Amino acid sequence: MTYIVASLLAGLLVAVFYCFQRTWSKTASARQFGCQPPVSYRHLDLLFGLDLKLQEVRQALKFRSIPFNAALFKKYGKTFQVNVFGSATIRTIDSENLQTAYATNNKDWGYEPIRLPFMEPFCGRGFITTDGATWKASRALLRPTFSKANISDLSAFQRSVDSFLQQIPRDGSTVDMQPLIASLFLQTAIKFLLGDSLDVLGGEGQSGDAKDFLKAFHNSMIGMGLSFMIGPFQLLIPKALKATAWQKAHTFIDACIDVALHDKNQARGKDFPDNQMESDSRSHSLLEGLAKQTDDRIAIRNQILQGMMAAQDTTSVLISNTMFLLSRNPATYERLRKEALSIDLDVSLPLFDNLKELKFLSNVLKESLRMYPIFPVLVRVALKDTTLPVGGSEKRDFPIYIPRGTKLYSDYYALHHVESVFRPDVEVFNPDRWHSISPGPWEYMPFSGGPRACVRQHKALAEASYTLVKIVQLFKGLESRDEKEWAGQMKLTARNANGCKVALIPA
Ligand code: HEM
């Protein structure tokens, strides 16, 4: 008994000493760099910060967490600290801090410690879940598929859009465009990721196996989203959203990989030149590109699954958000239509570049991404002890000392609503504001910034532009059929929980 008490006391002493020593060393380092602590969120639960977490969960259930969190910047300033399950998170929309963490000092920051533990069993190590050398190697594997030649080819996409347009009702009845556009982009993404090997297995999401895969993928995403949200309580998540779903998704992708590797070996047997992929004019799937570079099935599977995550609910959400906004702004729709009618999509070449010349459309898309960034929030973590240049002290003009493991929560939604940059009337959809404002790269970040910015930005904008021009040319009117405000449903990306209910009037 005495022995147990003595051991407990000794353990307690070591813990207290460790805490004291760590606090002392943090304070000493902070002093050395001239840092001051940031303003703190006024928690009721000082130990674990559960009060704020509970409010966030409550707001998330009402699809109000995005404006709720953005409003905190109005109260606490552009940089402040919150307590999440007992650890410090810095929240910031200070451009200097964003530039430091995303570009200048980007090596001090990463994702691996916060993403890998939740995501590795499903999608392993890849460009989304790792940092440093592993991330670099993963990005190098993607490079051939994301080359300018491969991404500027819109021909396959044009065919898919034609069949998508057939599904829009012509009788003025109400249609929710969000799921229709999502299904167009799901097919496009799958084709881009898996290419012809998918046809061999039953074709573009139509076969039972492919449908099961999509469901398993979707469930895995929900499971991972919940893991992030509830952190230490993730054991509560049912198996159907974890191991069972992962296994189903793996089995399907592995079969596609077998087909691709088999094709590659057949081609080798026929002595095709090694640079065939670069020289032929077809666009290539990510799977084809990866299989060309490695035989490592697990590495290929990880990249495909992570590619699918990056492509999920991104361009499709941009288009449905834009249609949602246009349906409530008929005069803007009218102006867009006038511009869209100036281009003949069937003969305009090079289409990829010519779409960029539609200036009003470009402002409409910029404004849509400002109002509703597809990734409203991104969280990074300090990989070592470091500093951020501003936000310390009540005046927020001192650097902040950041111990390793501190999370940095960048709120792109709040960033895109900063009055001094985007005024006037930042809550109003006004594409014309882009004539008089020119936000810097760290003030407007729909595709993030620095080395980990989106590699698909130009293609995503080209596909969104093409789809919108097609719609606007075919339909002379777009009417809103929903009174409800945009309500952000957060997964990794955010889309409108109420969809995009509209009616389209044929020209
Ligand atoms: C409108 C559409 C899109 C938007 C707004 C968007 C936005 C972003 C953002 C904000 C990031 C940074 C993410 C982070 O730091 O974790 C990112 C990264 C990335 N995106 Fe996109 N994206 C879009 C479409 C796509 C599509 C269709 C793909 C196709 C696969 C894609 C592939 C990627 C890749 C590979 C990365 C790099 C991740 C890394 O290296 O860490 N994106 N995107």
Side-chain angles (χ1 to χ4, degrees):
M1 182 68 184
T2 328
Y3 175 74
I4 295 176
V5 173
S7 304
L8 279 176
L9 273 176
L12 196 67
L13 265 176
V14 171
V16 170
F17 176 75
Y18 175 77
C19 287
F20 174 76
Q21 196 266 344
R22 193 131 169 85
T23 313
W24 183 83
S25 107
K26 271 192 229 168
T27 315
S29 308
R31 212 176 294 129
Q32 183 195 338
F33 293 109
C35 298
Q36 293 276 341
V39 165
S40 278
Y41 178 85
R42 283 189 285 280
H43 283 286
L44 298 174
D45 172 13
L46 295 175
L47 226 48
F48 298 109
L50 289 181
D51 54 330
L52 178 59
K53 197 42 130 187
L54 283 175
Q55 282 200 69
E56 281 175 346
V57 171
R58 215 174 293 138
Q59 294 291 339
L61 293 173
K62 292 188 274 179
F63 309 115
R64 300 271 317 146
S65 63
I66 298 170
F68 168 79
N69 282 314
L72 296 181
F73 290 94
K74 294 219 167 92
K75 189 165 172 195
Y76 291 96
K78 284 188 174 178
T79 299
F80 61 96
Q81 178 173 312
V82 303
N83 175 351
V84 182
F85 297 127
S87 355
T89 293
I90 301 291
R91 294 195 176 187
T92 195
I93 52 168
D94 250 312
S95 299
E96 280 183 69
N97 287 342
L98 293 170
Q99 180 170 11
T100 302
Y102 284 76
T104 338
N105 237 355
N106 112 87
K107 285 202 173 73
D108 290 358
W109 296 90
Y111 291 118
E112 193 168 311
I114 45 174
R115 289 185 176 171
L116 202 59
F118 295 119
M119 299 172 74
E120 188 171 21
F122 177 53
C123 59
R125 297 174 161 263
F127 63 92
I128 290 184
T129 49
T130 59
D131 302 316
T134 321
W135 168 78
K136 244 190 196 152
S138 303
R139 282 282 286 250
L141 281 174
L142 298 184
R143 208 165 292 134
T145 318
F146 286 91
S147 68
K148 166 94 166 113
N150 204 29
I151 64 163
S152 54
D153 178 4
L154 289 176
S155 50
F157 181 68
Q158 286 173 270
R159 287 192 294 277
S160 305
V161 172
D162 284 344
S163 60
F164 149 80
L165 291 168
Q166 304 301 321
Q167 297 170 46
I168 300 177
R170 304 301 206 255
D171 58 359
S173 57
T174 302
V175 56
D176 185 353
M177 289 300 290
Q178 192 165 269
L180 276 189
I181 300 169
S183 122
L184 162 69
F185 276 87
L186 190 61
Q187 280 191 27
T188 314
I190 289 187
K191 192 85 187 162
F192 164 71
L193 296 165
L194 299 173
D196 295 339
S197 49
L198 185 70
D199 296 340
V200 177
L201 292 171
E204 297 194 17
Q206 302 307 310
S207 75
D209 282 354
K211 277 192 184 134
D212 284 352
F213 160 68
L214 290 176
K215 200 167 167 210
F217 181 86
H218 181 70
N219 284 343
S220 307
M221 292 295 286
I222 296 178
M224 281 187 301
L226 285 173
S227 304
F228 278 117
M229 200 189 283
I230 62 176
F233 304 105
Q234 57 164 304
L235 279 176
L236 299 173
I237 300 169
K239 264 194 181 159
L241 300 179
K242 291 174 86 177
T244 313
W246 301 338
Q247 206 203 332
K248 274 190 191 152
H250 291 173
T251 308
F252 180 79
I253 298 271
D254 289 351
C256 294
I257 294 173
D258 284 342
V259 174
L261 289 176
H262 174 263
D263 285 355
K264 176 180 84 168
N265 292 332
Q266 290 260 308
R268 256 199 203 136
K270 287 183 193 154
D271 219 15
F272 283 147
D274 251 11
N275 63 352
Q276 185 200 29
M277 196 176 118
E278 285 74 26
S279 61
D280 86 38
S281 60
R282 251 169 356 108
S283 38
H284 297 275
S285 70
L286 181 61
L287 173 55
E288 206 179 339
L290 293 168
K292 190 123 184 56
Q293 300 173 78
T294 175
D295 285 330
D296 182 340
R297 288 179 153 73
I298 304 291
I300 298 179
R301 185 216 281 161
N302 292 343
Q303 300 294 342
I304 298 284
L305 285 171
Q306 300 205 10
M308 179 107 181
M309 283 175 201
Q312 270 270 303
D313 288 345
T314 49
T315 319
S316 69
V317 177
L318 167 60
I319 299 172
S320 52
N321 283 343
T322 308
M323 288 190 72
F324 174 88
L325 289 161
L326 288 171
S327 71
R328 282 149 194 248
N329 292 276
T332 309
Y333 186 85
E334 190 61 44
R335 279 174 69 195
L336 186 62
R337 184 164 146 78
K338 215 166 163 195
E339 184 182 66
L341 289 172
S342 70
I343 184 170
D344 184 342
L345 294 171
D346 296 327
V347 295
S348 178
L349 289 171
L351 187 54
F352 188 81
D353 297 318
N354 291 349
L355 283 166
K356 285 190 210 151
E357 297 305 315
L358 300 174
K359 293 287 176 245
F360 190 59
L361 173 61
S362 154
N363 286 347
V364 165
L365 288 172
K366 274 192 209 158
E367 182 69 350
S368 170
L369 286 165
R370 182 191 73 79
M371 298 273 298
Y372 307 131
I374 311 299
F375 290 79
V377 166
L378 280 173
V379 180
R380 288 190 169 190
V381 63
L383 302 174
K384 52 186 193 166
D385 294 349
T386 185
T387 58
L388 285 173
V390 289
S393 86
E394 281 294 323
K395 282 191 170 169
R396 298 168 177 82
D397 50 358
F398 277 84
I400 309 174
Y401 181 69
I402 306 284
R404 183 168 69 91
T406 305
K407 288 182 189 141
L408 184 72
Y409 171 113
S410 319
D411 191 321
Y412 294 168
Y413 179 89
L415 184 73
H416 292 181
H417 288 75
V418 170
E419 283 281 344
S420 58
V421 179
F422 297 101
R423 75 175 157 231
D425 304 326
V426 291
E427 300 304 334
V428 174
F429 174 66
N430 173 14
D432 288 327
R433 79 172 72 244
W434 290 88
H435 293 304
S436 54
I437 59 169
S438 49
W442 308 103
E443 292 174 323
Y444 177 68
M445 301 175 63
F447 294 96
S448 191
R452 296 195 77 155
C454 184
V455 288
R456 251 303 187 90
Q457 166 172 357
H458 299 294
K459 177 99 170 195
L461 288 174
E463 289 180 346
S465 301
Y466 180 83
T467 313
L468 282 166
V469 169
K470 269 281 185 189
I471 292 173
V472 168
Q473 286 183 342
L474 274 177
F475 297 93
K476 65 178 183 211
L478 174 68
E479 293 169 5
S480 169
R481 291 286 167 88
D482 188 0
E483 293 295 301
K484 292 194 196 101
E485 283 310 304
W486 192 89
Q489 183 177 33
M490 283 286 281
K491 285 202 278 179
L492 191 58
T493 57
R495 61 180 186 170
N496 190 357
N498 303 319
C500 173
K501 298 186 190 80
V502 293
L504 291 112
I505 316 301

